[in-house]
Short mmCIF file of all heavy atoms in Angstrom, two decimals:
data_model
loop_
_atom_site.label_atom_id
_atom_site.label_comp_id
_atom_site.label_asym_id
_atom_site.label_seq_id
_atom_site.Cartn_x
_atom_site.Cartn_y
_atom_site.Cartn_z
N GLY B 232 -17.48 -0.87 -4.13
CA GLY B 232 -16.76 0.31 -4.55
C GLY B 232 -15.23 0.24 -4.25
O GLY B 232 -14.37 0.50 -5.06
N PHE B 233 -14.97 -0.25 -3.02
CA PHE B 233 -13.55 -0.38 -2.65
C PHE B 233 -12.85 -1.47 -3.46
O PHE B 233 -11.72 -1.32 -3.90
CB PHE B 233 -13.53 -0.72 -1.12
CG PHE B 233 -12.16 -0.51 -0.49
CD1 PHE B 233 -11.67 0.82 -0.43
CD2 PHE B 233 -11.38 -1.53 0.10
CE1 PHE B 233 -10.44 1.05 0.12
CE2 PHE B 233 -10.21 -1.25 0.65
CZ PHE B 233 -9.73 -0.01 0.70
N HIS B 234 -13.67 -2.53 -3.78
CA HIS B 234 -13.06 -3.56 -4.58
C HIS B 234 -12.87 -3.00 -6.04
O HIS B 234 -11.90 -3.23 -6.69
CB HIS B 234 -13.99 -4.79 -4.62
CG HIS B 234 -13.52 -5.83 -5.63
ND1 HIS B 234 -14.06 -5.91 -6.91
CD2 HIS B 234 -12.60 -6.78 -5.52
CE1 HIS B 234 -13.48 -6.93 -7.50
NE2 HIS B 234 -12.59 -7.42 -6.71
N GLY B 235 -13.90 -2.27 -6.53
CA GLY B 235 -13.76 -1.64 -7.87
C GLY B 235 -12.55 -0.73 -7.91
O GLY B 235 -11.89 -0.69 -8.92
N PHE B 236 -12.33 0.00 -6.86
CA PHE B 236 -11.16 0.83 -6.80
C PHE B 236 -9.89 0.04 -6.95
O PHE B 236 -8.95 0.42 -7.63
CB PHE B 236 -11.19 1.64 -5.50
CG PHE B 236 -9.95 2.44 -5.22
CD1 PHE B 236 -9.65 3.53 -5.98
CD2 PHE B 236 -9.03 1.99 -4.26
CE1 PHE B 236 -8.49 4.24 -5.76
CE2 PHE B 236 -7.84 2.72 -4.00
CZ PHE B 236 -7.63 3.86 -4.81
N HIS B 237 -9.88 -1.16 -6.28
CA HIS B 237 -8.71 -2.00 -6.46
C HIS B 237 -8.60 -2.49 -7.91
O HIS B 237 -7.43 -2.61 -8.40
CB HIS B 237 -8.82 -3.22 -5.47
CG HIS B 237 -8.32 -2.88 -4.11
ND1 HIS B 237 -8.88 -2.10 -3.25
CD2 HIS B 237 -7.19 -3.32 -3.51
CE1 HIS B 237 -8.21 -1.99 -2.14
NE2 HIS B 237 -7.13 -2.73 -2.25
N VAL B 238 -9.70 -2.85 -8.49
CA VAL B 238 -9.66 -3.34 -9.91
C VAL B 238 -9.12 -2.23 -10.78
O VAL B 238 -8.19 -2.38 -11.62
CB VAL B 238 -11.00 -3.75 -10.39
CG1 VAL B 238 -10.98 -4.10 -11.89
CG2 VAL B 238 -11.52 -4.86 -9.59
N PHE B 239 -9.57 -0.98 -10.48
CA PHE B 239 -9.16 0.16 -11.29
C PHE B 239 -7.67 0.44 -11.10
O PHE B 239 -6.99 0.56 -12.11
CB PHE B 239 -9.91 1.40 -10.81
CG PHE B 239 -9.57 2.70 -11.50
CD1 PHE B 239 -9.90 2.87 -12.80
CD2 PHE B 239 -8.83 3.66 -10.86
CE1 PHE B 239 -9.58 4.00 -13.49
CE2 PHE B 239 -8.43 4.82 -11.50
CZ PHE B 239 -8.81 4.97 -12.83
N SER B 240 -7.16 0.39 -9.88
CA SER B 240 -5.78 0.58 -9.70
C SER B 240 -4.96 -0.57 -10.32
O SER B 240 -3.86 -0.34 -10.83
CB SER B 240 -5.39 0.78 -8.21
OG SER B 240 -5.99 -0.23 -7.44
N GLY B 241 -5.55 -1.82 -10.30
CA GLY B 241 -4.92 -2.89 -10.98
C GLY B 241 -4.75 -2.70 -12.47
O GLY B 241 -3.71 -2.97 -13.03
N VAL B 242 -5.85 -2.12 -13.04
CA VAL B 242 -5.81 -1.84 -14.50
C VAL B 242 -4.69 -0.87 -14.77
O VAL B 242 -3.96 -0.95 -15.74
CB VAL B 242 -7.17 -1.31 -14.94
CG1 VAL B 242 -7.08 -0.73 -16.36
CG2 VAL B 242 -8.21 -2.45 -14.93
N ILE B 243 -4.60 0.21 -13.83
CA ILE B 243 -3.60 1.22 -14.08
C ILE B 243 -2.20 0.60 -14.04
O ILE B 243 -1.33 0.79 -14.86
CB ILE B 243 -3.72 2.28 -13.01
CG1 ILE B 243 -5.04 3.01 -13.07
CG2 ILE B 243 -2.54 3.35 -13.09
CD1 ILE B 243 -5.24 3.97 -14.12
N ILE B 244 -2.03 -0.26 -12.97
CA ILE B 244 -0.72 -0.89 -12.85
C ILE B 244 -0.41 -1.71 -14.07
O ILE B 244 0.70 -1.65 -14.59
CB ILE B 244 -0.67 -1.76 -11.55
CG1 ILE B 244 -0.71 -0.94 -10.32
CG2 ILE B 244 0.50 -2.67 -11.54
CD1 ILE B 244 -0.96 -1.67 -9.07
N ASN B 245 -1.39 -2.49 -14.53
CA ASN B 245 -1.18 -3.39 -15.66
C ASN B 245 -0.88 -2.60 -16.92
O ASN B 245 -0.05 -2.98 -17.79
CB ASN B 245 -2.37 -4.26 -15.92
CG ASN B 245 -2.43 -5.40 -14.95
OD1 ASN B 245 -1.43 -5.70 -14.27
ND2 ASN B 245 -3.59 -5.99 -14.77
N THR B 246 -1.49 -1.41 -17.00
CA THR B 246 -1.25 -0.57 -18.16
C THR B 246 0.22 -0.06 -18.14
O THR B 246 0.88 -0.06 -19.18
CB THR B 246 -2.21 0.65 -18.18
OG1 THR B 246 -3.52 0.10 -18.00
CG2 THR B 246 -2.16 1.44 -19.50
N ILE B 247 0.64 0.30 -16.96
CA ILE B 247 2.03 0.76 -16.86
C ILE B 247 2.94 -0.43 -17.25
O ILE B 247 3.99 -0.27 -17.91
CB ILE B 247 2.36 1.19 -15.41
CG1 ILE B 247 1.53 2.48 -15.09
CG2 ILE B 247 3.87 1.49 -15.21
CD1 ILE B 247 1.55 2.93 -13.65
N MET B 248 2.68 -1.63 -16.73
CA MET B 248 3.45 -2.82 -17.11
C MET B 248 3.49 -3.01 -18.56
O MET B 248 4.51 -3.37 -19.19
CB MET B 248 2.87 -4.11 -16.40
CG MET B 248 2.93 -4.15 -14.92
SD MET B 248 4.61 -4.10 -14.32
CE MET B 248 4.59 -2.57 -13.45
N LEU B 249 2.31 -2.83 -19.20
CA LEU B 249 2.19 -3.03 -20.67
C LEU B 249 3.18 -2.10 -21.36
O LEU B 249 3.87 -2.46 -22.29
CB LEU B 249 0.78 -2.81 -21.07
CG LEU B 249 0.50 -2.98 -22.56
CD1 LEU B 249 0.58 -4.42 -23.00
CD2 LEU B 249 -0.89 -2.49 -22.93
N ILE B 250 3.09 -0.77 -20.93
CA ILE B 250 3.89 0.22 -21.63
C ILE B 250 5.42 -0.13 -21.45
O ILE B 250 6.15 -0.03 -22.35
CB ILE B 250 3.58 1.63 -21.04
CG1 ILE B 250 2.15 1.98 -21.44
CG2 ILE B 250 4.59 2.65 -21.63
CD1 ILE B 250 1.57 3.22 -20.77
#
Side-chain angles (χ1 to χ4, degrees):
Chain B
F233 199 62
H234 175 261
F236 171 72
H237 273 71
V238 177
F239 177 72
S240 49
V242 168
I243 300 284
I244 291 170
N245 284 342
T246 312
I247 294 170
M248 293 299 117
L249 181 70
I250 295 169

